[in-house]
Amino acid sequence: MLTFQIKTHKHGQTYSKPHFYILNKGLNSGKPCRTPIRNSFVVSTETIEQKEALFQLSLMLLESKCYNYYLKGSVIPFIGIHDVKNLLIKNHIHLQQEEVQTKIEAIKKIEVLEKGFQNKLKTIQELKISLLRSCKLER
């Protein structure tokens, strides 16, 4: 059984149990984060495995645009804490499926590759800038 608590995060507060954050304001509402951010909910669990499972579930809900249905507000959209909690509760049963677990493992590997490519692109961009700066152009 998956047990978790979800509360509004207060800036500067620390948590002892395994936890992650879910952004609750803006067009990226529902985005899970591992570091504390303003305008977010904190999801606390009993174990690290539960935290990772809920983090991946929240990421899947964000990517499949499930949170968009619950956005409120015209200028700055936001999502309510009860909507997030209900979505996590309704969809946690999918985490036990073996097919979903294999896809989560594949997504983790893809994220590692993506970070590697981002580092390579950053290095290439720095090289490009240094080559352009080495040209002796007049002002």
Side-chain angles (χ1 to χ4, degrees):
M1 181 69 192
L2 189 65
T3 58
F4 66 93
Q5 288 183 332
I6 183 167
K7 296 188 259 183
T8 302
H9 171 63
K10 293 174 181 55
H11 183 68
Q13 188 171 355
T14 57
Y15 306 95
S16 58
K17 291 184 176 180
H19 61 279
F20 68 95
Y21 304 89
I22 297 178
L23 186 64
N24 64 9
K25 284 191 180 173
L27 293 175
N28 284 329
S29 292
K31 181 178 181 180
C33 300
R34 297 189 191 280
T35 57
I37 51 174
R38 291 187 187 268
N39 300 322
S40 65
F41 303 126
V42 61
V43 179
S44 302
T45 62
E46 296 298 321
T47 65
I48 294 174
E49 292 80 21
Q50 288 178 346
K51 178 193 89 158
E52 286 300 319
L54 282 173
F55 184 88
Q56 293 299 327
L57 176 61
S58 185
L59 190 61
M60 285 189 279
L61 291 169
L62 176 72
E63 293 296 325
S64 61
K65 304 210 183 293
C66 291
Y67 288 119
N68 290 358
Y69 178 77
Y70 297 98
L71 289 179
K72 301 168 185 77
S74 58
V75 178
I76 299 175
F78 66 95
I79 190 166
I81 193 167
H82 296 293
D83 296 330
V84 173
K85 185 174 186 174
N86 290 337
L87 271 173
L88 291 174
I89 290 171
K90 274 195 304 190
N91 290 293
H92 90 277
I93 58 170
H94 298 295
L95 291 177
Q96 282 84 27
Q97 297 174 354
E98 191 173 320
E99 176 186 337
V100 173
Q101 289 299 324
T102 56
K103 288 181 181 178
I104 288 174
E105 293 302 319
I107 288 171
K108 286 180 183 178
K109 290 177 183 176
I110 290 170
E111 287 174 349
V112 169
L113 285 173
E114 185 179 28
K115 280 190 176 186
F117 284 130
Q118 287 173 348
N119 288 339
K120 288 178 184 178
L121 282 173
K122 182 180 174 186
T123 305
I124 290 171
Q125 186 68 25
E126 289 171 358
L127 177 62
K128 180 180 171 184
I129 289 171
S130 66
L131 284 173
L132 290 172
R133 287 183 180 166
S134 69
C135 297
K136 303 291 183 192
L137 300 177
E138 293 184 26
R139 292 183 186 199

